[in-house]
């Protein structure tokens, strides 16, 4: 700003503008930007969401509800819940352990470790599925061993769980690491000096400090786990009533010309997404400071 | 639940939570296998067909043996389905769209013997089919024969022949038609198929994807497709929206079935799986094939009204023109084959 | 990693906090089994082709074209998402208007909405007979089943990255600096371009890179809306699936490894941007 003139600006009409206006734009620019932003959000985000519900209800509530009473739909719901019930706690434990090791200690190679944990974020879902086919498929790395012992990993629940764990792997860790880093180690050190055990210090000091961030991360992790399509599609085998998750069931119904049912099941997932967003927003408004550290990343 | 010690050591590096998760879920699949359950891995358009077949077979099996059987089905592009069998999906039987896909399973994984076509009647074909055209009501582009599909102003919707059996039958049908018409000139036949694929705006991975693109999304003027699929569209979307055009000649499409020997022996389901395949040749099943607009091999078992819907077409067998399925697959659809050359040149 | 080795440097610094061995060991075990081992298998599979073989796959016209579509469209989509995402972030933090909080919550929708659901919704919306597609058709734009469709899907999934990386920084801008700039005589435009925007650039770049990386790999939402036509609207992840259906595991792995390498470079770039921004502006 070396070339800035060191005198008060002259407004066109010769008066000095109120202080507020120097840090914002003229009203018409403001409203134009708001209009652009809202139109963009409406066109790209809100409209698809409305479409899901509109198409789902295109033939009335009877047809809508019928989509969920079908046995294949129910087994898809059960499978999706099962997969999330295994994958989310797994990533929760992993995320907390990883965040503890990374945030509370200084050691060499930390940046590399963080980058590696991040890796699944940028791996294509299809590749995430492919790698497990290469490891556990009949002709894969462990294929012969698994075959010998009659263990089915891919095209069965374990493969779907593994692929889901992979795609949601960084969620909890990435949320907690900056949060725990920001909180430092003094409180834990105090507790330990006063004689608390490590586990006790974690439970009574660390956990309360990170609980909202943790809940927030688990929520997102869960939404992604229940909604994963590409990776699961590669390892599922699409066996009806056995290895179809809800997103796969959406695709199947769509391919069976059963568009109403397809969008009905999709609306269930969209509803889950909405609930996730609502809770997430509530958490953000109420505990903004507790979770702020991690949000920058995703 | 998990048998044997070596397994446990193989899994040991996985964290305890993961191990518990695995054990838990293995338990689920392990438990399911104890019941009598067989898996039919099938191609894309047979969803409705096998839903009915499987239910009727289960009923019959129960009456005959007292055993409750569940026949599971998995559907997808024929090539993709063959891939899952190769990679270890526990399929008892495969019912795919084209013989070369079963050949691939046999060759790559050895789970099916090479002479699988000799194991069942009629070379493993309980039914056959052909390719017809689905056009928009009134046939605005006046599509009558294969030649019309290569005209510059006609948009054709067909699936990717690399992944879909239906796509491969369409390809071969167009090629065979041109070959015959151009006085058995391979170059001219290749050129015809090239202009045919120039008219394709969307290449879906499976026959179903193409049908949805054509019927639901409103793209394209003509959908060359499985005969059964064309009828299904009329039933699902209404006869007032589409017409079926039957070309004077078309291909003798062979969607074969086979037992996955390695899997049934491992699972101990050989008896059930063999009975299931035999059932496909029974009068009852044959009638169901005709009802779903497939061409049964025992016409006498089918209802006359179902048969009446299947038009008389002059059908040619592609093996008579191009030789073995090995050669057909290699020359046309494998990496660097005719389809690859055409799509490269078509740019 | 890059620090010069100091004498008697320990692997980790001393602290009274327990559980280092346990948590790090567990972290590494999980990372190894879930992420590294499978990825290593992939690399090994592709390596079976040899460098010449991988190069042959990468330069195969159809593969090269699919990679071009994936990376090219993703670049455009990430650019669009960054520009509009920047506006959205600015509007959401700086202005007050009815429905602001709702709009703010909606931004995260693509994070939470399954990609397959987004795919069928976008396809039915932008198809020639869909609500938006029919309007676009009137002005001669074919959206669904063309690269435009891929673009739309990629903007959809990339948007939250673009908004959420920039938003907290806009909120942190010290208004006094802007006031100072204005009082010193700078016009609003000059204040924006010289005072407000420069510190935002690293965040915008990070958001851009994340949206880009996500778009390149995206599969679920795109296959429903792309035409999947070789050389035109076929994306690299779909080509992996096609290669698998052709039983070409090596080819599929080679494409996957190429994509992985580029993703890794993107991630590295993000980290470098952040390191640079830490030095330049003192925060991420």
């Amino acid at each position: 700003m070396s070339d800035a003139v060191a005198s008060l600006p002259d407004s066109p009409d010769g008066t000095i503008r109120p202080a507020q206006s120097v840090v914002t734009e003229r009203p018409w620019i403001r409203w134009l930007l708001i209009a652009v932003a809202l139109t963009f959000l409406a066109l790209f985000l809100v409209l698809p969401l409305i479409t899901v519900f509109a198409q789902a209800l295109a033939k009335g509530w009877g047809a809508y509800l019928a989509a969920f009473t079908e046995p294949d739909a129910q087994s898809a719901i059960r499978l999706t819940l099962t997969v999330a019930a295994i994958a989310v706690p797994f990533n929760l434990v992993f995320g907390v352990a990883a965040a503890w090791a990374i945030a509370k200690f200084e050691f060499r190679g930390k940046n590399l470790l963080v980058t590696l944990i991040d890796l699944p974020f940028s791996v294509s879902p299809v590749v995430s599925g492919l790698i497990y086919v290469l490891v556990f498929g009949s002709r894969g790395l462990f294929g012969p061993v698994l075959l010998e012992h009659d263990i089915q990993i891919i095209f069965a629940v374990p493969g779907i769980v593994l692929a889901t764990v992979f795609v949601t792997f960084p969620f909890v860790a990435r949320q907690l690491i900056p949060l725990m880093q920001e909180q430092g180690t003094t409180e834990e050190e105090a507790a330990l000096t006063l004689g608390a055990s490590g586990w006790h210090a974690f439970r009574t000091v660390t956990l309360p400090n990170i609980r909202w961030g943790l809940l927030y991360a688990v929520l997102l992790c869960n939404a992604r786990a229940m909604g994963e399509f590409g990776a699961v599609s590669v390892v599922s085998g699409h066996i009806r009533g056995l290895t179809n998750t809800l997103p796969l069931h959406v695709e199947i119904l769509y391919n069976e010309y059963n568009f109403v049912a397809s969008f009905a099941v999709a609306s269930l997932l969209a509803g889950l997404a909405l609930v996730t967003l609502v809770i997430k927003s509530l958490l953000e408004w109420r505990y903004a400071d507790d979770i702020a550290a991690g949000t920058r990343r995703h | 639940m998990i048998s044997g010690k070596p397994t446990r050591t193989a899994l040991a590096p996985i964290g305890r939570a993961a191990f518990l998760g695995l054990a838990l879920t293995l338990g689920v699949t392990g438990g399911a296998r104890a019941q009598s359950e067989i898996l039919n891995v099938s191609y894309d358009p047979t969803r409705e067909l096998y839903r009915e077949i499987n239910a009727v077979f289960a009923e019959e099996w129960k009456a005959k043996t007292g055993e409750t059987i569940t026949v599971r089905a998995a559907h997808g592009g024929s090539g993709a389905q063959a891939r899952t069998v190769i990679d270890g999906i526990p399929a008892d039987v495969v019912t795919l769209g084209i013989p070369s896909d079963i050949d691939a399973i046999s060759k790559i994984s050895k789970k099916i013997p090479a002479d699988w076509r000799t194991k069942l009647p009629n070379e493993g074909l309980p039914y056959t089919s052909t390719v017809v055209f689905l056009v928009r009501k009134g046939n605005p582009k006046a599509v009558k024969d294969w030649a019309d599909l290569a005209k510059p102003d006609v948009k054709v919707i067909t699936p990717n022949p690399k992944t879909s059996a239906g796509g491969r039958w369409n390809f071969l049908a167009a090629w065979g038609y041109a070959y015959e018409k151009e006085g058995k000139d391979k170059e001219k036949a290749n050129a015809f198929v090239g202009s045919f694929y120039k008219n394709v705006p969307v290449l879906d991975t499976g026959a179903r994807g193409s049908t949805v693109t054509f019927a639901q999304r409103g793209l394209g003027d003509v959908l060359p497709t499985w005969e059964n699929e064309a009828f299904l569209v009329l039933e699902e979307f209404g006869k007032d929206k589409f017409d079926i055009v039957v070309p004077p000649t078309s291909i003798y499409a062979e969607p074969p079935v086979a037992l996955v020997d390695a899997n049934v022996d491992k699972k101990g389901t050989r008896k059930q799986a063999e009975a299931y395949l035999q059932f496909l040749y029974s009068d009852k099943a044959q009638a169901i094939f005709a009802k779903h607009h497939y061409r049964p091999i025992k016409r006498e078992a089918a209802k006359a009204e179902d048969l009446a819907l299947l038009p008389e077409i002059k059908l040619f067998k592609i093996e008579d023109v191009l030789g073995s399925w090995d050669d057909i697959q290699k020359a046309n659809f494998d990496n660097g084959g005719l389809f690859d050359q055409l799509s490269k040149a078509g740019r | 990693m890059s620090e010069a080795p100091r004498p008697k440097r320990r692997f980790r610094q001393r602290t009274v906090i327990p559980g280092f061995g346990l948590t790090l060991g567990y972290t590494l075990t999980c990372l190894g089994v879930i992420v590294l081992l499978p990825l290593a298998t992939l690399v090994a599979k592709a390596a079976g082709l040899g460098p010449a073989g991988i190069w042959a796959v990468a330069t195969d016209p159809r593969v090269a074209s699919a990679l071009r579509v994936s990376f090219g469209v993703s670049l455009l989509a990430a650019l669009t998402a960054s520009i509009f995402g920047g506006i959205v972030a600015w509007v959401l933090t700086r202005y007050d208007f009815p429905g602001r909080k709702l709009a703010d919550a909606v931004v995260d929708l693509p994070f939470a909405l399954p990609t397959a659901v987004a795919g069928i919704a976008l396809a039915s919306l932008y198809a020639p007979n869909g609500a938006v597609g029919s309007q676009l058709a009137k002005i001669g734009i074919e959206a669904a089943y063309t690269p435009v469709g891929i673009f739309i899907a990629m903007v959809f999934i990339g948007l939250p990255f673009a908004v959420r990386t920039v938003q907290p920084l806009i909120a942190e801008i010290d208004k006094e600096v802007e006031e100072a700039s204005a009082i010193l005589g700078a016009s609003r435009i000059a204040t924006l371009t010289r005072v407000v925007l420069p510190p935002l650039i690293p965040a915008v770049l990070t958001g851009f890179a994340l949206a880009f990386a996500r778009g390149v790999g995206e599969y679920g939402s795109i296959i429903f809306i792309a035409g999947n036509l070789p050389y035109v609207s076929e994306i690299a992840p779909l080509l992996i699936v096609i290669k698998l259906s052709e039983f070409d595991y090596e080819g599929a792995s080679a494409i996957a490894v190429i994509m992985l390498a580029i993703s890794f470079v993107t991630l590295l770039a993000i980290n470098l941007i952040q390191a640079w921004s830490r030095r330049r502006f003192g925060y991420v």
Side-chain angles (χ1 to χ4, degrees):
Chain A
M1 303 315 113
S2 53
D3 56 341
V5 188
S7 66
L8 285 174
D10 291 325
S11 312
D13 55 1
T15 59
I16 294 172
R17 275 176 272 148
Q20 189 54 32
S21 72
V22 300
V23 289
T24 189
E25 287 67 48
R26 284 159 205 278
W28 71 268
I29 297 182
R30 228 177 323 165
W31 288 111
L32 180 72
L33 286 179
I34 292 175
V36 167
L38 291 185
T39 312
F40 189 77
L41 289 181
L43 212 60
F44 277 88
L45 304 186
V46 180
L47 223 49
L49 190 66
I50 294 172
T51 307
V52 172
F53 288 98
Q55 298 266 19
L57 293 169
K59 287 191 183 150
W61 285 95
Y64 179 79
L65 293 173
F68 302 111
T69 52
E70 201 216 347
D72 281 354
Q74 295 197 336
S75 96
I77 292 173
R78 262 198 310 276
L79 177 61
T80 300
L81 292 175
T82 310
V83 169
I86 301 169
V88 175
F90 177 87
N91 278 334
L92 174 75
V93 173
F94 165 76
V96 171
W100 182 267
I102 289 166
K104 303 286 179 192
F105 302 94
E106 287 304 322
F107 56 92
R108 278 199 258 180
K110 201 190 219 179
N111 285 335
L112 179 70
L113 182 60
V114 174
T115 307
L116 288 177
I117 290 175
D118 259 355
L119 203 54
F121 263 146
S122 56
V123 172
S124 173
V126 170
V127 178
S128 315
L130 169 67
I131 54 178
Y132 290 106
V133 172
L134 293 178
V135 174
F136 296 110
S138 289
R139 303 192 316 142
L141 191 61
F142 295 147
V145 184
L146 294 172
L147 212 63
E148 205 176 305
H149 297 283
D150 202 16
I151 298 174
Q152 193 75 35
I153 300 276
I154 54 167
F155 311 124
V157 183
I160 299 173
V161 171
L162 278 172
T164 308
V165 166
F166 183 93
V167 294
T168 54
F169 195 68
F171 273 76
V172 179
R174 273 315 295 198
Q175 177 73 27
L176 291 187
I177 291 168
L179 191 58
M180 279 164 70
Q181 264 169 345
E182 209 157 86
Q183 284 166 354
T185 53
T186 35
E187 286 182 50
E188 282 88 355
E189 277 162 3
L192 290 161
T193 324
L194 291 173
S197 71
W199 173 242
H200 190 72
F202 170 76
R203 243 187 34 220
T204 52
V205 178
T206 316
L207 208 52
N209 276 337
I210 59 168
R211 62 187 157 178
W212 299 117
L214 193 62
L215 179 59
Y216 183 91
V218 164
L219 215 62
L220 286 180
C221 182
N222 182 58
R224 186 74 202 277
M226 290 192 172
E228 179 52 30
F229 174 79
V232 169
S233 166
V234 175
V235 296
S236 135
H238 304 97
I239 307 171
R240 283 165 168 278
L242 213 56
T243 63
N244 281 323
T245 60
L246 277 177
L248 296 181
H249 192 57
V250 169
E251 189 204 16
I252 286 177
L253 290 170
Y254 188 78
N255 279 339
E256 284 176 5
Y257 315 125
N258 205 339
F259 301 109
V260 168
S262 172
F263 277 101
V265 176
S267 77
L268 192 67
L269 288 163
L272 174 81
L274 285 179
V275 171
T276 305
L277 289 191
V278 168
I279 303 178
K280 181 174 177 291
S281 302
L282 288 177
L283 282 176
E284 275 173 351
W285 294 335
R286 196 143 156 51
Y287 306 102
D289 297 337
D290 291 359
I291 50 179
T295 46
R296 232 169 256 163
R297 211 31 220 263
H298 60 127
Chain B
M1 201 159 33
I2 300 170
S3 56
K5 226 180 167 178
T7 318
R8 218 159 274 163
T9 40
L11 292 172
I14 304 181
R16 232 175 83 219
F19 182 78
L20 277 175
L22 278 174
L24 195 83
T25 43
L26 283 172
V28 173
T29 45
R33 218 178 272 170
Q35 297 165 2
S36 176
E37 181 173 299
I38 59 172
L39 171 62
N40 173 4
V41 169
S42 192
Y43 61 114
D44 229 356
T46 55
R47 300 155 193 261
E48 294 76 14
L49 168 71
Y50 280 113
R51 191 172 297 153
E52 183 166 356
I53 292 264
N54 293 349
V56 175
F57 171 72
E59 215 171 89
E60 197 153 271
W61 186 253
K62 174 100 187 167
K64 209 152 101 192
T65 65
E67 186 186 33
T68 308
I69 191 166
T70 313
V71 184
R72 301 259 178 214
H75 298 274
S78 191
Q81 294 298 86
R83 197 272 297 172
T84 63
V85 177
I86 291 169
D87 279 334
I89 201 170
D92 298 273
V93 301
V94 285
T95 54
L96 295 179
I98 196 159
S100 51
D101 281 333
I102 300 186
D103 283 341
I105 300 173
S106 161
K107 225 181 290 168
I108 300 174
S109 76
K110 315 265 182 257
K111 285 176 184 168
I112 296 174
D115 59 348
W116 61 271
R117 290 205 86 167
T118 63
K119 306 269 167 155
L120 287 163
N122 195 34
E123 296 187 295
L125 298 170
Y127 61 88
T128 65
S129 188
T130 187
V131 176
V132 298
F133 305 151
L134 195 68
V135 296
R136 309 213 174 270
K137 192 76 197 170
N139 196 2
K141 291 280 167 93
V143 175
K144 295 260 178 299
D145 200 353
W146 289 94
D148 300 317
L149 269 50
K151 282 184 181 158
D153 65 327
V154 176
K155 289 258 172 286
V156 184
I157 304 294
T158 178
N160 188 340
K162 291 245 179 184
T163 53
S164 153
R168 263 170 280 174
W169 289 118
N170 289 352
F171 181 103
L172 294 171
W175 193 93
Y177 158 84
Y179 181 72
E180 202 54 46
K181 194 177 159 230
E182 302 287 354
K184 307 201 188 284
D185 183 333
K186 284 198 174 181
E187 285 307 312
K188 282 187 179 159
N190 293 355
F192 174 82
V193 176
S195 38
F196 167 85
Y197 277 93
K198 268 202 194 97
N199 288 343
V200 178
V202 182
L203 213 51
D204 287 288
T205 44
R208 264 304 148 84
S210 285
T211 317
V212 170
T213 300
F214 180 80
Q216 170 78 2
R217 301 277 163 250
L219 255 74
D221 303 309
V222 53
L223 176 83
T225 188
W226 293 101
E227 189 174 38
N228 48 285
E229 189 75 357
F231 278 106
L232 187 70
V233 171
L234 293 195
E235 282 158 21
E236 293 283 337
F237 289 88
K239 291 188 169 71
D240 53 333
K241 289 196 183 115
F242 304 99
D243 284 327
I244 291 178
V245 171
V246 180
T249 64
S250 193
I251 198 160
Y252 174 75
E254 306 160 67
V257 304
L259 185 76
V260 188
D261 280 79
N263 289 351
V264 292
D265 287 342
K266 198 160 208 61
K267 291 165 69 178
T269 47
R270 177 175 280 276
K271 193 179 66 178
Q272 290 87 342
E274 277 177 346
Y276 179 75
L277 288 177
Q278 287 302 332
F279 173 75
L280 298 181
Y281 292 88
S282 72
D283 286 0
K284 216 181 233 173
Q286 291 287 320
I288 298 173
F289 289 138
K291 182 177 150 200
H292 288 269
H293 314 293
Y294 296 83
R295 297 181 172 227
I297 57 167
K298 281 193 210 160
R299 292 176 62 90
E300 64 280 6
K303 280 190 189 149
E305 72 228 48
D306 291 333
L307 290 176
L309 287 173
L310 303 172
E312 288 288 331
I313 314 180
K314 201 177 134 224
L315 298 177
F316 64 88
K317 209 172 170 180
I318 195 69
E319 294 105 301
D320 298 342
V321 188
L322 283 172
S324 79
W325 274 106
D326 241 12
D327 298 339
I328 296 173
Q329 178 70 24
K330 234 176 246 148
N332 295 292
F333 308 118
D334 277 357
N335 242 335
L338 180 57
F339 179 71
D340 278 349
Q341 295 162 26
L342 290 175
S343 31
K344 214 178 283 181
R347 299 217 52 213
Chain C
M1 295 294 280
S2 54
E3 300 111 302
R6 275 168 255 155
K8 273 194 170 180
R9 190 175 191 275
R10 284 169 214 279
F11 168 60
R12 73 171 168 101
Q13 290 166 16
R14 243 174 219 294
T15 165
V16 293
I17 295 180
F20 178 71
L22 178 74
T23 52
L24 186 69
Y26 182 71
T27 303
L28 291 177
T29 309
C30 290
L31 185 70
V33 173
I34 304 281
V35 179
L36 299 182
L37 171 78
L39 285 176
T41 313
L42 174 78
V43 174
K45 190 85 185 171
L49 288 172
I54 294 179
W55 181 248
V57 171
T59 51
D60 170 78
R62 184 156 170 214
V63 176
S65 148
L67 288 170
R68 235 185 349 261
V69 170
S70 273
F71 285 97
V73 179
S74 184
L75 265 178
L76 272 180
L79 195 67
T80 311
S82 291
I83 292 169
F84 283 93
I87 295 175
V88 169
W90 181 263
V91 165
L92 289 179
T93 16
R94 277 310 186 83
Y95 306 151
D96 207 12
F97 55 92
R100 188 180 64 86
K101 284 193 165 179
L102 190 68
D104 190 54
V106 159
V107 169
D108 278 327
L109 186 71
F111 277 148
L113 196 70
T115 51
V117 176
I120 60 170
L122 289 172
S124 76
L125 205 55
Y126 287 90
N129 55 10
V132 180
S134 55
Q135 300 304 311
L136 290 175
K138 276 184 200 154
I139 52 169
I141 299 176
E142 278 181 66
Y145 316 114
T146 68
V148 181
I150 304 177
F151 171 81
I152 290 168
M154 283 181 176
V155 171
F156 176 85
I157 55 158
L159 186 68
F161 294 96
V163 177
R164 291 300 186 227
T165 44
V166 184
Q167 211 175 2
L169 287 190
I170 295 179
E172 273 169 27
I173 295 173
D174 196 346
K175 286 204 175 181
E176 281 173 20
V177 179
E178 282 176 72
E179 274 167 12
S181 165
I183 287 165
L184 289 174
S187 67
R188 184 66 192 152
I189 300 272
T191 304
L192 283 179
T193 52
R194 293 194 180 160
V195 179
V196 176
L197 281 183
L200 295 180
I201 287 174
V204 172
L205 286 178
T206 306
F208 173 83
L210 284 171
F212 171 71
R214 192 66 208 282
V216 166
E218 179 56 20
Y219 175 73
S221 57
I222 295 177
I223 50 159
F224 290 101
I225 197 174
N228 306 330
L229 204 64
Y231 300 101
V232 180
S233 54
E234 187 172 71
I235 54 166
L238 176 67
L239 202 54
I240 294 178
V241 173
I242 291 176
K243 289 258 176 214
L244 274 183
S245 303
E246 292 169 30
F247 325 114
D248 182 4
Y249 291 72
E250 282 79 12
S253 305
I255 302 175
V257 164
I258 293 165
M259 292 184 64
L260 210 61
I262 298 174
S263 301
F264 200 73
V265 170
T266 315
L267 267 189
L268 208 65
I270 295 173
N271 285 341
L272 287 178
I273 292 169
Q274 291 184 335
W276 169 70
S277 120
R278 221 173 284 133
R279 277 200 311 277
R280 173 90 165 65
F281 301 105
Y283 55 83
V284 183

